[in-house]
Amino acid sequence: MAGPALDVSQLSRRFEQRQILDHLDLRVAQGELVAIVGESGSGKSTLLNLIAGLDQPDAGSIRIDGQDLASLDDDARTRLRRAQLGFVFQSFHILPHLRIGQNIELPLVLLGIDAGERRQRVAELLDAVGLADRVGSLPRQLSGGELQRVAVARALVHRPVLVLADEPTGNLDAETAALVMRLLAAQIRGRGAAGVLVTHSAAAAALADRVLLLRQGHLHPQVPDAR
Amino acid sequence: MLWLWWQLIIRYAWTYRLRTAVQVLAITVGVALGYAVSLINTAALAEFNAALREINGEADAVIEGSRTGFDEQLFARVARDPGVQLASPVLATDVLVAGTADEHPPRLTVLGIDVLRAAPLSPTLMGDASGTAESAASRFAIFGDGILLSPSALARFDVAVGDLLTVQAGSATVALKVRGTLPGVRPGSLLGVMDLGFAQWRLGGLGRLTRIDLRLADGVSPETLRARLDLPPGVNLSGPDATSARLANLSWAYRVNLNVLALVALFTGGFLVFSLQAQGTLARRAQFAWLRATGLERRQLERLLVAEAVSIGTVGSILGLFAGVAIARAALGALGGDLGGGYFNVGQPPLGFTLLTAAGFAALGILAAVAGSYLPAREAAHAPPAAALHAGGEEDVLRPLGRAWPGLALLAAAAVLLSLPPVSGVPLPAYLAIGAILIGAIALQPRIARLVSRPLADWLQTARAGTHAPMLLLAANRMVQAPGSAAIAMAGIVASFGLMVAMGTMVSSFRGTLDGWLVQVLPADLYARVGQSMTDAWLPPADLERISAHPGVRHVEFSRAVPLQLAADRAAVVVVARNIDAADPGTSLPLVGRSLAWQPDQPPPVWVSEAMVDLYGAQPGGTLELPLAGSLHRFSVLGVWRDYARQFGSVAMRATDYQRITGDVTRTDAAIWLRPGVQAADVSRELLQTLDSREVIELRAPDEIRALSLRIFDRSFAVTYVLEAAAILIGMIGVAATFSSQAMARSREFGMLRHIGVTRGQILRALALEGTLATLNAILVGLLAGLVIALVLIRVINPPPFHWSMQLIVPLKLIAGLIAALLVCATGTAAIAGRRAVSSSPLRAVHEDW
């Protein structure tokens, strides 16, 4: 049996006088989508940044597909993100001066994938998110919901092991948010990736396989009624 | 990386093409000006050296004395020396041409040569007498009398072969028959050739030569021959390079400063690139963070941004090279080969291109762009992606700009650099100090902005004025809380305004000091002069009598200016023999410091100019040896005087001493004091009717001389004025571009303000006030930096190459005008830029991150 896509063990992080994360454990299996909820300032984004290797913990370990982040320098962590991680952000972060197709293929370019295969994969992902006819459009020609679907496509185009989504529906209306979340969940599971979703939205969390509450630096299973 | 470069850099540049265009323009202007100055200097020097080779021919060495020449007996001794294969005697004279309509009588260089000896060494001086009455087979016959003129001289003086050309040589007016042309002489060269004996007789040089051109025997060097020959004082033997070096040195200081001023434009352009690149990087902060999060390595991002700078620099440099050629052509046409400096007489020389020079300036342009982009690129690459992924926090990125120590360290470095000596005569440490002062001032700008704005913000917060001026409160608070943004926007302004203040103050100081000096050295009511000190003409004795005897003249002082060659590779020093009271020389000379007392048992007294102190080490209390009348004479140096008319050194001595030593009673200049009620114009008109030298004499009132001198000064500094204008233009373009860029980046902020009830008009007012406050701060910093740099220019940089000191005179009106123009530009631009930013829907502004 394959190991977990994400294995976080005894993770701690402190900012100034505050203990944000305190010996936190988290394991996410391949194909599993985990939602993390919590109050503002509870450390959800900090946890995501640590998992992504964008920040360094004070203690504990993080393994992505068996690779321990602590053993990697900044460039190596960057290369790991390039190959193994996908990101979906609340603010989309779509590059405004690139066409939709070019935005999506950017991770493939970084991996050195040739143009032919890039085109093929971009077409596949755009089709999966229902934007097959927008490959040549500019970002300003798309709505917020469409842009977030582009972001989902971009997060998955390079077949990552783990997708990290930070409030992916924060800027969307309820209906669009539900659509994007269903799409994200389906694509993550369908491609055998693991997903960690940080959200305030109960509806978004409901689509996850597990919901964890981050409180006082620890993760607690969220009971179904509390969702 | 190529894909990334194309998609992330080039497409981005096209999307924001206005900002890109401004950055490219900044580099283009800098490279264009620098390249143009380099092209002009190279063309002019090449032309001048070519003209020199024409005159000097193929000589291996040259024996030269002062313009008064040396005994021709020396020639016989030199020609007999076994180290000399061929010796060609020359009498070189600069005469004034009479009968032209010019404001100043034009100068003609006449070479008296022995045609048999000169032919192998100077074939271009062999004339063409075809079309004359003499036998065409015997070109030597035409050298019996008359003169051959270069084609340019024929045109200039409007004479043809067979006509008479009237010149003044010495005190005599001489009519010479034009016997033929010098077709081999280059265009623009005003040259005449005569038979040596005829020239000595007609031009007042009997028994004298000024030059002996030599072809040396195999294996003999100029140094070897110099050691063997016992040359009289004031006569030097040098290789041809020394002459070329001397003439290059004539304009070296002027050319070096021109090159530096041109580099100033490039430097300012680099600061503008920094402003825009920093803002552009800040605006793309989240994008870069996403790229880093997605897997772009730090080094890759840094390389991409440097590639962006190289792209901007390359395009700007290529355009700059083309523009530089166009500017050079136009400048040569308008100002001549010396750009108005008065050092050359080469007309409009052709431009020559070398790949190396063009590549060098292109590299400088790219370097300026990279230098301006490096810090923003490094910051973007090293910024923690986690923080940058979330909107806001831009000012946190800029918070390190508020640290005082980098700016203070740079200013301290500038102080150290100013204490270092010049490098090979170029005040390079001082130029680097100027760079350090500017960058240090820009680095301190956020700190100063906060210091200056905080009292205003605090007062508005509590005072009733704040209630009625909420936009001013908003603007002041932004200056306090976000000074980094303003600092980046204003970096270009600080640089360009600071440099403008510095150059404007330097020029104003020099001009004002020159004007004051002219008032001091022109106390008389009327001045008469025959030619300039580099010509061989003087006032006839009869004219001296006529001037003194004129009924309107109360008192006359005559003087004699004589050029002396003290060093082969330096321009001639001028001895000015005039009435000087050794007990009180300050009444005749504009002294720098006190004059020492003179005792009769000491050698005769002289007063040296500042250039003599720098170039020859002449000091008050010491002695100075001068070659006069064929031998060396020792003089006591009693003091130093300021002489702006003669950049390469002058020595003032009593006319009585000069006459006693040399026996020369001729005079070149007269200072005339008139009786009360007598008009200078009337005396001038009457003298011009009676004087023998009326065709060539110049009679001017002191106001005329002052006006003329200042016109020449303004022409010499024409290029400086152009470069000042370029610097301020770059700054103003920078203001427009950076405010525009910042306003667009703050769309979200404006959207939020609109949400809480601030109208579009109020936002625009706030932007205009921010623009005003930021510009005022930049002006303050730029003004302070500019004045300090002006002091560096005046006290440290200008004295070594130009050998003069000057007072500090700040051009208050010019600076006030510029400040007003900058404020209007900045305020207006901020408001106009804000219009576009507030025109979008507030909903869209707050809900989208782009």
Side-chain angles (χ1 to χ4, degrees), chain B residues 468-783:
Chain B
H468 296 291
M471 295 302 112
L472 181 58
L473 176 61
L474 265 181
N477 268 320
R478 185 174 164 82
M479 286 295 292
V480 173
Q481 299 303 336
S485 302
I488 287 177
M490 291 290 118
I493 280 287
V494 173
S496 64
F497 182 65
L499 289 169
M500 209 295 311
V501 166
M503 287 195 283
T505 303
M506 181 194 75
V507 172
S508 161
S509 298
F510 187 15
R511 198 176 194 277
T513 307
L514 174 67
D515 197 23
W517 177 81
L518 284 167
V519 169
Q520 208 178 353
V521 299
L522 298 173
D525 300 311
L526 188 63
Y527 289 86
R529 181 176 70 171
V530 175
Q532 300 169 35
S533 56
M534 294 306 185
T535 57
D536 302 293
W538 47 82
L539 291 164
D543 281 356
L544 301 181
E545 302 274 348
R546 288 189 188 104
I547 292 172
S548 301
H550 190 286
V553 171
R554 172 167 59 90
H555 171 64
V556 187
E557 285 186 9
F558 294 104
S559 60
R560 176 78 165 101
V562 181
L564 290 184
Q565 199 70 40
L566 298 188
D569 61 344
R570 288 200 180 130
V573 163
V574 176
V575 168
V576 181
R578 55 175 297 181
N579 284 356
I580 304 175
D581 180 359
D584 190 12
T587 54
S588 327
L589 298 171
L591 293 176
V592 178
R594 284 175 46 246
S595 175
L596 300 175
W598 178 69
Q599 306 299 328
D601 60 344
Q602 285 177 299
V606 292
W607 295 263
V608 296
S609 69
E610 293 167 300
M612 291 295 295
V613 175
D614 285 345
L615 291 172
Y616 298 97
Q619 294 282 353
T623 57
L624 179 69
E625 286 188 337
L626 296 172
L628 292 169
S631 52
L632 275 178
H633 298 267
R634 181 172 295 164
F635 297 87
S636 300
V637 179
L638 296 190
V640 179
W641 63 297
R642 190 171 278 156
D643 185 3
Y644 290 134
R646 290 161 277 252
Q647 183 185 339
F648 299 99
S650 57
V651 178
M653 70 171 61
R654 297 184 302 185
T656 48
D657 292 329
Y658 173 76
Q659 198 163 314
R660 177 173 47 77
I661 292 168
T662 64
D664 179 9
V665 297
T666 62
R667 296 293 180 262
T668 53
D669 298 77
I672 305 167
W673 280 261
L674 302 177
R675 297 188 192 284
V678 175
Q679 298 299 315
D682 295 334
V683 173
S684 180
R685 192 177 49 250
E686 286 157 16
L687 286 174
L688 282 173
Q689 288 169 356
T690 58
L691 295 178
D692 290 340
S693 57
R694 59 182 166 277
E695 296 282 350
V696 294
I697 197 170
E698 293 177 58
L699 282 157
R700 294 184 191 278
D703 283 349
E704 266 186 275
I705 298 174
R706 271 178 64 209
L708 180 64
S709 303
L710 292 174
R711 262 206 312 275
I712 295 171
F713 174 91
D714 288 337
R715 191 181 141 93
S716 301
F717 279 86
V719 175
T720 308
Y721 297 143
V722 167
L723 293 171
E724 281 177 35
I728 211 68
L729 178 66
I730 290 172
M732 292 216 188
I733 291 172
V735 166
T738 52
F739 274 140
S740 184
S741 182
Q742 278 196 336
M744 290 313 296
R746 292 166 65 191
S747 298
R748 182 194 300 266
E749 179 188 334
F750 300 150
M752 182 277 297
L753 288 173
R754 304 261 311 277
H755 267 76
I756 64 171
V758 179
T759 65
R760 276 201 181 101
Q762 285 177 310
I763 292 175
L764 293 177
R765 210 170 313 136
L767 278 176
L769 287 168
E770 275 178 36
T772 306
L773 287 177
T775 306
L776 275 173
N777 184 65
I779 285 169
L780 173 66
V781 174
L783 185 61

Side-chain angles (χ1 to χ4, degrees), chain B residues 14-53:
Chain B
W14 177 249
T15 304
Y16 297 97
R17 36 193 179 272
L18 177 60
R19 177 197 294 162
T20 306
V22 171
Q23 288 177 295
V24 167
L25 180 64
I27 299 298
T28 299
V29 170
V31 169
L33 290 173
Y35 190 46
V37 168
S38 170
L39 281 175
I40 292 165
N41 283 341
T42 306
L45 274 181
E47 186 71 9
F48 199 83
N49 281 328
L52 193 63
R53 278 196 300 278

Side-chain angles (χ1 to χ4, degrees), chain B residues 347-360:
Chain B
Q348 293 183 44
L351 292 178
F353 306 94
T354 65
L355 191 58
L356 194 61
T357 308

